[in-house]
Amino acid sequence: MPTYIQLESTASTNTYVAAHAALLPDGAVVYTHRQTAGRGQKGNHWESEPGKNLTFSMLIKRPPVPAIKQFAISEAAALAVTETLCSQAGDGFAIKWPNDIYYHDSKICGLLIENSLSGSDIEHTVIGAGVNINQRRLVSDAPNPISLTNITGQEHDLVQLLHQMCERLASLCAGLGQEEALRQLHSRYLAALYRNDRRQHRFALPDGTVFMASVVDVAPDGMLTLRHHDGTQHAYAFKEVKHVIEQHIL
């Protein structure tokens, strides 16, 4: 079971956990209602109004999965958040590769997974999450930000949701050493993947080139395979391709 540690304020829960990993117990969850410099993928900033949202990081020591299959940890984290949100507001949530959580075409959660490797093993993993819960007005560079309150019209208990997400995540991570559990996890991840409906959708390359493709699979190392309109398949690493999402004008 997770061990919960609340901080009054911190720059980044991921930074805090990484700095204290040797002293913290396995399964430690550090959370705060005031994060002053939250980090996202590739150095992006995560905006969060104090006291309104979930900002937390979980430490997993020696996760039972080799480094070559480390993306399974991202799958577990994304599913734990998605399934918890679905329990609160029903369908409409999806995982936008690699591990952002969307409600239809609006972003509700960002995840940052940082692995410390030792040869072919993972020494420890820090799983960070920023989930928009009770913040009604969102000012963010994320495309179409949304909160759980925006969806349901209700206020939600932050601590209760934190426990639900982290207990689900701990359970999923505990099964990573079993091949059958890994297969089932991957199947659930693909089923929950944003725009994984065999239809052609718009994607963009870093140079701005836009093309049509459909999702085929995600490899154990996180590479996304797309089928282009001409039937050819190509694999892409994170930041080599992105979904094209129309910005909502409010």
Side-chain angles (χ1 to χ4, degrees), residues 11 28 33 41 146:
H33 295 319
Q41 295 284 0
I146 198 171

Side-chain angles (χ1 to χ4, degrees), residues 5-23:
I5 302 167
Q6 182 177 6
L7 303 179
E8 183 65 27
S9 175
T10 190
S12 160
T13 56
N14 259 43
T15 300
Y16 182 94
V17 171
H20 298 84
L23 302 176

Side-chain angles (χ1 to χ4, degrees), residues 1-244:
M1 293 292 289
T3 300
Y4 298 93
I5 302 167
Q6 182 177 6
L7 303 179
E8 183 65 27
S9 175
T10 190
S12 160
T13 56
N14 259 43
T15 300
Y16 182 94
V17 171
H20 298 84
L23 302 176
L24 293 171
D26 181 30
V29 176
V30 173
Y31 70 101
T32 182
H33 295 319
R34 182 177 175 81
Q35 183 171 251
T36 59
R39 295 184 293 121
Q41 295 284 0
K42 299 295 183 181
N44 293 333
H45 174 70
W46 182 258
E47 172 249 350
S48 180
E49 182 180 343
K52 294 293 185 179
N53 304 313
L54 285 178
T55 48
F56 66 91
S57 298
M58 174 181 274
L59 175 67
I60 305 293
K61 294 188 174 183
R62 291 284 181 177
V65 64
I68 196 172
K69 295 182 179 180
Q70 61 186 273
F71 191 71
I73 299 171
S74 291
E75 293 181 333
L79 281 169
V81 174
T82 301
E83 291 173 354
T84 300
L85 292 174
C86 285
S87 73
Q88 300 296 310
D91 296 334
F93 297 96
I95 303 165
K96 186 173 78 65
W97 175 84
N99 51 24
D100 284 339
I101 313 302
Y102 270 56
Y103 180 74
H104 297 292
D105 291 331
S106 298
K107 184 173 178 176
I108 193 169
C109 170
L111 294 167
L112 179 61
I113 317 296
E114 296 181 303
N115 296 310
S116 177
L117 306 182
S118 176
S120 61
D121 297 323
I122 303 173
E123 188 70 28
H124 68 259
T125 294
V126 181
I127 302 169
V131 194
N132 297 330
I133 302 296
N134 292 326
Q135 186 169 339
R136 293 185 178 275
R137 182 175 179 271
L138 294 136
V139 181
S140 170
D141 56 5
N144 308 324
I146 198 171
S147 70
L148 190 59
T149 286
N150 292 154
I151 297 167
T152 66
Q154 302 172 351
E155 293 282 312
H156 297 268
D157 187 314
L158 294 178
V159 173
Q160 182 182 48
L161 287 176
L162 173 71
H163 283 226
Q164 288 180 17
M165 288 180 189
C166 292
E167 288 168 15
R168 193 182 297 262
L169 175 54
S171 177
L172 289 172
C173 285
L176 294 179
Q178 304 170 15
E179 285 300 321
E180 181 57 30
L182 283 174
R183 283 192 291 271
Q184 291 181 11
L185 179 72
H186 184 61
S187 178
R188 287 163 61 188
Y189 175 84
L190 290 180
L193 204 57
Y194 179 69
R195 292 181 175 174
N196 187 16
D197 54 9
R198 300 186 180 181
R199 294 166 54 196
Q200 296 274 301
H201 295 278
R202 296 172 70 205
F203 291 85
L205 300 176
D207 64 4
T209 301
V210 176
F211 62 94
M212 300 296 292
S214 58
V215 175
V216 176
D217 199 3
V218 178
D221 61 0
M223 296 278 283
L224 174 70
T225 298
L226 299 177
R227 179 178 291 111
H228 290 237
H229 70 281
D230 62 0
T232 59
Q233 295 186 15
H234 299 276
Y236 298 91
F238 182 52
K239 291 293 186 181
E240 290 183 345
V241 70
K242 66 178 181 179
H243 286 278
V244 175

